[in-house]
C-alpha cells in the first residue's frame, strides 16, 4: 500500500473509538494481546448494523440466497483438502541475533526490535533462510493431545459452505443460480501489524458462495462485482474513495478465472475492502474427490449432473465497520469551535435518535422517556441524555454519529410538539410527537450523502 | 438427569432438523467431528431470532444495560486469574485395555466401546486413577510454538466483560445498577456425549453481568431470576415444563452467595436451560489484584469507591434454540393424516409468512411475488412456494413452524383479497392485501400459546 495521507487521522479515530466506547484494546488491563480488539457498547451496535445490512441485502431480501452457520472447528480433513494445511502460509525469517521473526516478503515494513530505526538485516543481525509458517491456529480436540487429535480454527468461512452444499441443496430445494451465505469468525495467526482493526488475528467474515451453471459464470461475476460495489455507495461511502481493481493474471489462484477487489482509500493507502472471486468448480470437485461424496446438481430438465461454478463475494465485517467509521469522520469548523462528527448513513449509526429533556424538571424527563419508549417500540435504537447544556449534548451525539436529536421542552408538555435536530445540517424542525417515529423512519429511508 | 420420556422424540427432531435444513452434522462428508453441528438455512434464521429477542429484551429495550463484543483469544493471564487454567477441569480415567478415556464422575453414563452393553470398568478393562483434564482449548499465538505463546479459546464470554469494566464505565458514563451483555462463541473440550446440540464443543453464549451496589444484591438476584424465567414463558415455552432450581450450598462456587437454574424438562430429563448466579465482587477483585488496575466505581454522592457485586444471567443460544424446537414440536392427528407442526412463537419462527399462488398461471405467481416483497419491506421473513398442491404446501410450512400462509387466488387479482391460513387453528381468513402487513404484525404481537 502506498502512503497517501498523514497518520494523525488514524490516531484520532483510534482515540475516539476508545473514548466513546467503539473499540478497546483486548486484554488491555494485562498489557493487551497483539492485533486483537474488543468492541464496546457503540462498537457492538455498529457491528450489528453492518451485519444486519449485509444479511438483509445478501440473504433475506433475495429469493436466490439462503444462510448458513457452520462450526469454527471442523474435521481437519477439510483443511487438508482445501489446501490450507499445505499452502496457507507466509515465508518467515528469524534474526539470529535477537531471535525476532519477520515476514520475509515484508521486511521493508518491519523494524529491528533492538534498533527500531533499522529494518531487520540492516541492523547487522543475520537472518535465517525463509521458512514457511502456516497461518492457521492449531489446537487439539478430545482427550488426547497427539497428532491424531490436531484440529484447526477455520481461516475462512467459505469451506463450511462447500461442506454443506449437498445438505442445503436437498433441504432447500434450490437450483443454480443460488447462493449460500454466512457471517462468522475466522482466525489467522498474522505476524504483520494490522492498522488498528483493518487486519486482526480474529475477525468476522461475511462470505457468500453463489453457485451457477458454468456457462453463466461471466455474467454473474460482473453482476456481483457491480452489486457489491454499489452496496457500499448505497450505505453512504464516498464513491470517490472506492475503486474496483481486477487482479493481474499472476495474482490469481491457479483455479480462478478472475478476481476483483473493491478497494477503499484508507488514511494508510488503498486497501482491499472486499474481494469478488471466481472459484470455478475447484472446491466442490476437490471435496467430492477427497470425501467420496457427490457434490453436484442434477438438472431435471436436461437430465444431466453438473458441478456448478462459484462466484464468491467475501468481506470482513470489522473492516467494513472501520471503513464506515473512517469515511464518516469529519472535523468541521463552526463559528466558535471545531465539531467532530461521524456522518454515518442513519441505518448504520449505532444510535438512531437521542432524546433529551431541555431541563431536568417540570415533567420533561418523564415525557422524554415516554417518547424514547415509543421510538424503541418502532424498532429504533435510542439514547436518553439529561446531563449538561443542550449544545454539549448535541456535540456528544455528533461525535458518535447519531443522526437525530429530539428535544422535549416546556411547549411539548402543552402542544405535544418536539424539536428534531439534524446531525448533518444542524437545522431544527418542530414535529408532533405523535408523528415522530413515522417522520424519522422516512428520514432514515430517504437520507442522502451531503 | 432422570429419564422421563422415550428417546424417539429426540430422534424425530434430529431427523426433522436435517431434512428441513435446521441442523446438519458438521463435516458430515468427512465422517463428522464429535459434538459439533452446522446450522442450515432455517437453523441460522432460528438462531438469529433467538439472538435478536435476547439482545432486544436484555440490552436495547433497557436503559440500564449496554452491549459488548470481546475477543475469543485474550491474553492468557486472563484465564490464570479467573481460575480456569488451574481449575476448569474434569477428572478423567483411561481404560488400560482399550485406551478409551472417560469422565470419572460420569462412568454410569458411559459405555465400553468394545462391549457397549457394559459400563467402563465392568467390562473387565482396568481403569487408571482419575487425572484432571482441562476443558480449555489451547493454541499458540504469534510465530513461535512454545510455552510463551500459549493462548486459550475462551470457555466463557463473562471474563471479557470483567476485563472491559473500567473502559465501558468511562465511555458510557454508567452507574450501578447497570449491566454489560454479550453474545458470542465459547469453546469447551467436552468428552461426554451431548444430546444433539444441547452440549457441544463450540457454542454461542448469551451472558450479562449486572453490576450492583452490594446492598442491593439480593433484590436484583430475585429480579433477574424472575425476569429470565418469564422471558421463556413470554416467548411461548410451556410453563409446566419449566422450573427454577436453587443450587444447594455444596454446588455453589466458593464465592457465590446463590445460584439458580432455569430448568426445562427435555426428552432426556430435566436439564439446565440458563443459570442466574451471584458472583459477588470476586471477579473484579481478582482481576484488579492481578493486573494492578483499579476496577471500582466511584460514587460522586457518597465520595466513596466500591467494587460492585455481580448478578449473572447466562445461557446458551444453541440450547435455547433446541428448547424452542422441542417445546414447539407436535404430532397432531387429523381426519386422514398425522401432521407434524412446530408451534413456535411467531417472533421466533424462521419464516413469518409463506406466500403461495393457488396455481402457477394467470398472473398469480407475479401477484404473489409482489405481496411477498411488500411483507419483506415491512420487516417480515417470507418464503415463496408454487410447487405441489396447496394442502401439501401447508404441511411443509407446518413442519418448519411458519405461522401464516398467504394464498393468492383468482379472486385476489380482481378484489385484492388474499387468504390467510393460521398454522395453529388451521382456520382461514380473507384479508385485503393492502392491509396484510399490518394485520400480520398485529397477529405476531398478540399471539398466545394455545
Amino acid at each position: 500500500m502506498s502512503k497517501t495521507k498523514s497518520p494523525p487521522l488514524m490516531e484520532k479515530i483510534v482515540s475516539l473509538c476508545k473514548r466513546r466506547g467503539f473499540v478497546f484494546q483486548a486484554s488491555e488491563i494485562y498489557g493487551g494481546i497483539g492485533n486483537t480488539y474488543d468492541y464496546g457498547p457503540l462498537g457492538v451496535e455498529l457491528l450489528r448494523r453492518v451485519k444486519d445490512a449485509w444479511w438483509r441485502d445478501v440473504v433475506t431480501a433475495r429469493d436466490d440466497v439462503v444462510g448458513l452457520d457452520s462450526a469454527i472447528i471442523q474435521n481437519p480433513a477439510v483443511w487438508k483438502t482445501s489446501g490450507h494445511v499445505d499452502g496457507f502460509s507466509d515465508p518467515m525469517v528469524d534474526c539470529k541475533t535477537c531471535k525476532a521473526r519477520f515476514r520475509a516478503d515484508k521486511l521493508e515494513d518491519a523494524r529491528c526490535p533492538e534498533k527500531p530505526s533499522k529494518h531487520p538485516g540492516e541492523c547487522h543481525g543475520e537472518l535465517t533462510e525463509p521458512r514457511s509458517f502456516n497461518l492457521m491456529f492449531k489446537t487439539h480436540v478430545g482427550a488426547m493431545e497427539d497428532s491424531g487429535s490436531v484440529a484447526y480454527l477455520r481461516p475462512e468461512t467459505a469451506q463450511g459452505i462447500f461442506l454443506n452444499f449437498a445438505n442445503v441443496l436437498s433441504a432447500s430445494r434450490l437450483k443454480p443460480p443460488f447462493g449460500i451465505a454466512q457471517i462468522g469468525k475466522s482466525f489467522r495467526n498474522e505476524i504483520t501489524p494490522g492498522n488498528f482493526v483493518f487486519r486482526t488475528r480474529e475477525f468476522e467474515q461475511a462470505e457468500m458462495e453463489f453457485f451457477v451453471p458454468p456457462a453463466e459464470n461471466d455474467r454473474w461475476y460482473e453482476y456481483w462485482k457491480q452489486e457489491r460495489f454499489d452496496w457500499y455507495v448505497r450505505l453512504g461511502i464516498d464513491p470517490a474513495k472506492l475503486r474496483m481493481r481486477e487482479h493481474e493474471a499472476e495474482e490469481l489462484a491457479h483455479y480462478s478465472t478472475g478476481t476483483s477487489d473493491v478497494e477503499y482509500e484508507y488514511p494508510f493507502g488503498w486497501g482491499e475492502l472486499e474481494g469478488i472471486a471466481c472459484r470455478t468448480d475447484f472446491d466442490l470437485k476437490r471435496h467430492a474427490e477427497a470425501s467420496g461424496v457427490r457434490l453436484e446438481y442434477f438438472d431435471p430438465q436436461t437430465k444431466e449432473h453438473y458441478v456448478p461454478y462459484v462466484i464468491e463475494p467475501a468481506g470482513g465485517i470489522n473492516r467494513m465497520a472501520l471503513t464506515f467509521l473512517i469515511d464518516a469522520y469529519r472535523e468541521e469548523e463552526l463559528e466558535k469551535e471545531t465539531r467532530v462528527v461521524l456522518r454515518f448513513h442513519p441505518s448504520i449509526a449505532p444510535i438512531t435518535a437521542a432524546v433529551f429533556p431541555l431541563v431536568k424538571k417540570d415533567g420533561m424527563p418523564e415525557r422524554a422517556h415516554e417518547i424514547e419508549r415509543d421510538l424503541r417500540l418502532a424498532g429504533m435504537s435510542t439514547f436518553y441524555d439529561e446531563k449538561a447544556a443542550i449544545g454539549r449534548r448535541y456535540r456528544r451525539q455528533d461525535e458518535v454519529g447519531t443522526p437525530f436529536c429530539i428535544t422535549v421542552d416546556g411547549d411539548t408538555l402543552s402542544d405535544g410538539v418536539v424539536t428534531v435536530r439534524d446531525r448533518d445540517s444542524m437545522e431544527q424542525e418542530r414535529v408532533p410527537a405523535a408523528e415522530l417515529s413515522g417522520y424519522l423512519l422516512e428520514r432514515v429511508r430517504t437520507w442522502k450523502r451531503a
Side-chain angles (χ1 to χ4, degrees), chain A:
Chain A
M1 290 170 200
S2 55
K3 297 233 173 345
T4 57
K5 291 246 172 85
S6 63
L9 173 56
M10 277 308 285
E11 282 170 31
K12 285 177 191 165
I13 284 173
V14 171
S15 157
L16 169 64
C17 281
K18 170 161 186 181
R19 192 172 69 250
R20 299 306 306 274
F22 282 94
V23 183
F24 307 127
Q25 185 186 17
S27 296
E28 185 180 331
I29 64 171
Y30 289 104
I33 175 167
N35 284 1
T36 309
Y37 296 88
D38 293 345
Y39 289 79
L42 292 177
V44 65
E45 295 300 335
L46 178 61
L47 292 178
R48 281 169 55 80
R49 300 290 178 281
V50 175
K51 285 188 273 190
D52 284 351
W54 192 90
W55 196 261
R56 177 193 67 215
D57 293 337
V58 176
V59 185
T60 49
R62 300 184 63 101
D63 281 324
D64 56 358
V65 180
V66 296
L68 185 85
D69 185 7
S70 67
I72 288 170
I73 300 178
Q74 298 281 351
N75 187 311
V78 172
W79 309 110
K80 188 75 191 161
T81 305
S82 69
H84 286 85
V85 169
D86 296 324
F88 191 59
S89 50
D90 283 339
M92 306 292 297
V93 294
D94 292 323
C95 174
K96 291 180 181 174
T97 307
C98 74
K99 310 293 178 202
R101 188 167 282 184
F102 309 96
R103 268 183 70 169
D105 56 342
K106 301 267 179 183
L107 286 175
E108 70 280 10
D109 295 344
R111 298 282 160 179
C112 168
E114 299 194 345
K115 295 181 188 162
S117 66
K118 305 279 189 187
H119 296 297
E122 293 170 14
C123 55
H124 303 296
E126 197 189 337
L127 301 178
T128 62
E129 285 300 298
R131 279 176 303 181
S132 122
F133 171 73
N134 198 293
L135 293 178
M136 284 195 293
F137 284 100
K138 207 161 47 169
T139 189
H140 293 272
V141 165
M144 315 289 182
E145 201 165 305
D146 56 24
S147 65
S149 67
V150 165
Y152 303 95
L153 306 193
R154 68 177 171 205
E156 60 172 41
T157 58
Q159 297 301 324
I161 294 175
F162 298 123
L163 293 180
N164 284 288
F165 173 79
N167 272 335
V168 171
L169 198 60
S170 129
S172 303
R173 304 190 304 172
L174 295 159
K175 66 176 204 181
F178 75 89
I180 307 177
Q182 89 168 313
I183 293 179
K185 281 247 169 127
S186 291
F187 298 78
R188 296 178 187 176
N189 197 354
E190 303 273 1
I191 307 301
T192 44
N195 282 318
F196 195 36
V197 296
F198 181 81
R199 177 176 289 113
T200 51
R201 288 205 172 112
E202 58 181 89
F203 57 107
E204 200 137 27
Q205 281 194 304
E207 297 195 300
M208 194 266 284
E209 310 301 316
F210 199 73
F211 300 93
V212 304
E216 297 179 24
N217 182 75
D218 296 356
R219 181 161 74 80
W220 283 108
Y221 178 44
E222 293 306 316
Y223 171 87
W224 280 110
K225 275 172 24 182
Q226 189 69 50
E227 173 59 23
R228 293 306 303 154
F229 189 95
D230 292 349
W231 188 76
Y232 292 101
V233 177
R234 286 204 300 275
L235 285 174
I237 298 285
D238 182 358
K241 297 205 157 192
L242 286 172
R243 70 182 184 194
M244 184 67 81
R245 190 179 72 79
E246 186 86 30
H247 284 209
E248 305 290 337
E250 60 270 25
E251 286 178 89
L252 288 179
H254 66 89
Y255 52 81
S256 179
T257 57
T259 296
S260 293
D261 289 344
V262 179
E263 292 191 334
Y264 182 82
E265 192 180 11
Y266 294 95
F268 43 85
W270 286 94
E272 179 190 342
L273 172 53
E274 170 161 349
I276 298 96
C278 295
R279 295 182 76 135
T280 67
D281 55 7
F282 177 77
D283 303 273
L284 288 179
K285 278 195 167 159
R286 290 266 297 220
H287 283 299
E289 267 170 44
S291 69
V293 176
R294 273 188 126 167
L295 301 176
E296 298 170 339
Y297 176 72
F298 174 71
D299 186 326
Q301 264 149 3
T302 65
K303 309 280 182 211
E304 282 177 340
H305 290 270
Y306 70 88
V307 181
Y309 270 35
V310 169
I311 315 294
E312 174 194 86
I317 296 294
N318 314 76
R319 192 176 289 189
M320 291 177 196
L322 175 66
T323 309
F324 285 116
L325 263 167
I326 289 172
D327 197 71
Y329 186 91
R330 303 274 194 295
E331 291 174 8
E332 296 175 357
E333 296 301 328
L334 305 184
E335 234 171 76
K336 291 181 177 170
E337 57 177 329
T338 303
R339 78 161 181 161
V340 170
V341 56
L342 293 177
R343 287 174 172 259
F344 286 130
H345 188 293
S347 69
I348 291 293
I351 301 166
T352 316
V355 184
F356 309 148
L358 182 63
V359 290
K360 206 174 150 180
K361 59 179 184 181
D362 301 338
M364 291 181 214
E366 292 76 8
R367 187 77 186 93
H369 276 301
E370 281 171 25
I371 287 170
E372 194 199 1
R373 200 179 48 241
D374 290 346
L375 297 180
R376 278 183 183 163
L377 284 175
M380 267 168 272
S381 165
T382 62
F383 182 77
Y384 175 86
D385 190 3
E386 60 181 23
K387 292 185 196 112
I390 205 86
R392 181 110 186 267
R393 282 182 259 172
Y394 284 155
R395 287 296 169 276
R396 286 186 59 81
Q397 294 305 315
D398 288 344
E399 200 183 39
V400 299
T402 306
F404 308 108
C405 291
I406 317 298
T407 303
V408 169
D409 59 22
D411 290 349
T412 311
L413 304 176
S414 52
D415 67 7
V417 174
V418 297
T419 302
V420 178
R421 183 263 194 180
D422 181 87
R423 174 196 67 198
D424 300 335
S425 67
M426 295 184 282
E427 280 168 13
Q428 302 186 3
E429 200 167 338
R430 301 280 292 170
V431 177
E435 297 165 20
L436 187 60
S437 68
Y439 168 89
L440 293 179
L441 289 172
E442 184 64 13
R443 291 280 304 270
V444 170
R445 210 179 59 75
T446 57
W447 183 87
K448 290 264 179 295
R449 186 188 164 85

